[in-house]
Amino acid sequence: MDRKINFFDSRKRDEYKKTLSKNKFDVLVIGGGITGAGVCLDTTSRGLKTCLIDMNDFASGTSSKSTKLIHGGLRYLEQFKFKLVHETGSERAVLSKIAPHIVKPEKMLLPIKKEGKLNMFLTRIALMIYDYLANVKRTDKNKILSREDTFLKEPLLKKNNVLGGAYYSEYRTEDNRLTIEIIKKSYELGSSPINYMKAINFIYRDNKVIGVKCKDKIDGTILELYAQNIINASGSWTDEVLNDKEKKLVLSKGIHIVVSREKFNLSQSIYFDAIDGRMIFAIPREDKVYIGTTDTEFNKEKDKLIVLKKEVNYLLNSLNETFSVSLKLKHIESSWVGLRPLIKDGHKKVSEVSREDEVFISKEGIITITGGKLTGYRKMAERVVDLIFRKNNMPKRRSLTKNLKLFGNKHDKLRSEIMELGFSEEQFNKYYNNYGDKCFEIFKTLKKKSKLDDVNLLISEFAYCLKKEMCHNLLDFFSQRNSMIYYNIDKVLSLIQENRKELAEVSGISEKKWNEQLIDLKKYIDQITTFN
Ligand SMILES: Cc1cc2nc3c(=O)[nH]c(=O)nc-3n(C[C@H](O)[C@H](O)[C@H](O)COP(=O)(O)OP(=O)(O)OC[C@H]3O[C@@H](n4cnc5c(N)ncnc54)[C@H](O)[C@@H]3O)c2cc1C
């Protein structure tokens, strides 16, 4: 493939598709969530020619709807999953090294309540084991806090039955950005990812799978893609893609809500008892706080995945019981909802089903990898790619992803260059945290053109995403590219009203198509702000 052409430009799609159908790949990955992205980067960096397809935008499935923690999984200790705690815990250090702009340390407060799930003694023991298994650095080790110190950390906590607290280390991320950055890195190294390309059928020869028939969801055309190995990383769609009678997955629904810090001025991230004895998170993010999550079995059609009023009330009641606030439905600014793909385990309730990943190989040779966590994506990929090498009797090549840096490693130099262009530190931080060192291009393009204000910066960002991140529309942009639809919904609405002409001009599409995009965006806004 001609790598001089930038096929990550959404407007080069037709040309790109022609080159894809001419190639035969070593690996074809179905699914551009974190699992597929991880596999694609691992195969490509080990020298395998790889194509990745997603039926919607990259990261638009569960991989943009999580709690956004890269965590050692304290709750797995309860289930005695020591190996899982060790693996996910150790991965945090790796991910913050390879992607420091999107994986950042975050201190978590765990209040210990009189009738709570954990008492002081158990918490102390659990956190000691956790620190050991998760390879927590000496300086980051957990602390048990007195009652007074717990309230100093979080003054909003109600004083009635808190005995003390624990203060321990987690990492936070932007799940959508992590996924897209991994896909972009794999493209830079030679892979061929494409979004809005749905796998509709497998192609077989002598009862073995040799390719995938796909439908382009943008223009409706059909494409055949051929590969030696087909990896199914379609998350909660695994059963639909395999189309087997026997289902492999059980799906668990989880919601998050977003409120302004004006209404809930939380000082710090907190993991606390919900009204039913489960534990939930509240995490500040700039001038907002997001709260989640729920864990309930989901058996309906996936296009009926919406946030229900009773789920929101569960979170609100838990907040109002724990903090000195009185939050109501009207205070919720936005929400998101995702499905955990969990491996079916008899008749166990979803909350009891293991969160570990599993690999299945069908008799036709399709390799499915599913389950697992965002946190463990790199190790999941390593395992499945080792398997590809074994299955094809290829000489072993070790995974390189542990040391393969994504795009966030030039912070100081870049910061001074961008400030020299006339931008503020705040503007730099915002864009660096999303795009790593690639943010330079957004600033540079704007510098050449117009006033360096936030609105023009956003328009320059939109142009960048269309050209360099295979972003196809406003919804891709405001959700998977910069999450504004979740954390700054008012700004999204004012921007599309006041700067409609400029945005339409950048996108370069017909009036009719532009209006269709606006309708889709507004529909989604309705969906994440209405609760029935
Ligand atoms: C509420 C919630 C909170 C969570 N919090 C955390 C957390 O804090 N930390 C953590 O580590 N993990 C967390 N998880 C788990 C984690 O988010 C998931 O394990 C992970 O995102 C799953 O990624 P995936 O790539 O397997 O699936 P997905 O992200 O859903 O990706 C699958 C992709 O496959 C595509 N696809 C499906 N069918 C086809 C087809 N026919 N053709 C082409 N493409 C197709 C879809 O469009 C989709 O993009 C959470 C999960 C939930 C639901």
Side-chain angles (χ1 to χ4, degrees), residues 30-36 53-57 59-63 65-71 197-199 233-237 241 252 254-256 293-294 338-341 371-376:
I30 303 171
I34 193 76
T35 308
I53 57 171
D54 197 291
M55 65 175 174
N56 296 317
D57 189 18
S60 58
T62 307
S63 300
K65 313 291 181 331
S66 76
T67 311
K68 305 174 196 300
L69 290 172
I70 297 293
H71 56 163
M197 189 61 75
K198 179 174 183 177
S234 56
S236 44
W237 289 268
V241 168
S252 152
I255 71 147
H256 289 83
T293 178
T294 52
L339 293 175
R340 297 173 188 85
K373 302 279 291 171
L374 187 76
T375 308

Side-chain angles (χ1 to χ4, degrees), residues 254-269:
I255 71 147
H256 289 83
I257 53 173
V258 179
V259 295
S260 160
R261 271 172 111 163
E262 277 172 21
K263 298 283 174 252
F264 180 33
N265 193 14
L266 194 70
S267 303
Q268 80 132 74
S269 291

Side-chain angles (χ1 to χ4, degrees), residues 224-289:
E224 290 188 349
L225 296 171
Y226 291 89
Q228 182 82 19
N229 299 279
I230 310 286
I231 311 293
N232 172 22
S234 56
S236 44
W237 289 268
T238 294
D239 287 322
E240 283 89 339
V241 168
L242 289 177
N243 201 17
D244 275 350
K245 274 192 210 94
E246 198 189 322
K247 300 270 174 267
K248 296 206 165 7
L249 295 187
V250 55
L251 302 179
S252 152
K253 180 183 179 192
I255 71 147
H256 289 83
I257 53 173
V258 179
V259 295
S260 160
R261 271 172 111 163
E262 277 172 21
K263 298 283 174 252
F264 180 33
N265 193 14
L266 194 70
S267 303
Q268 80 132 74
S269 291
I270 188 158
Y271 186 40
F272 63 101
D273 290 276
I275 44 172
D276 60 350
R278 285 180 65 251
M279 304 272 302
I280 58 178
F281 292 95
I283 302 182
R285 188 197 192 268
E286 292 159 26
D287 54 348
K288 307 283 150 123
V289 180

Side-chain angles (χ1 to χ4, degrees), residues 471-511:
C471 166
H472 285 278
N473 53 53
L474 287 168
L475 186 52
D476 292 352
F477 178 60
F478 289 123
S479 51
Q480 281 73 250
R481 298 304 175 289
N482 61 22
S483 310
M484 267 179 76
I485 206 157
Y486 302 113
Y487 304 118
N488 222 333
I489 207 160
D490 289 344
K491 200 159 170 196
V492 171
L493 290 168
S494 68
L495 202 85
I496 55 172
Q497 250 162 31
E498 289 158 26
N499 300 86
R500 192 187 160 116
K501 193 170 137 265
E502 292 85 348
L503 286 165
E505 223 169 76
V506 167
S507 92
I509 54 173
S510 68
E511 175 88 17

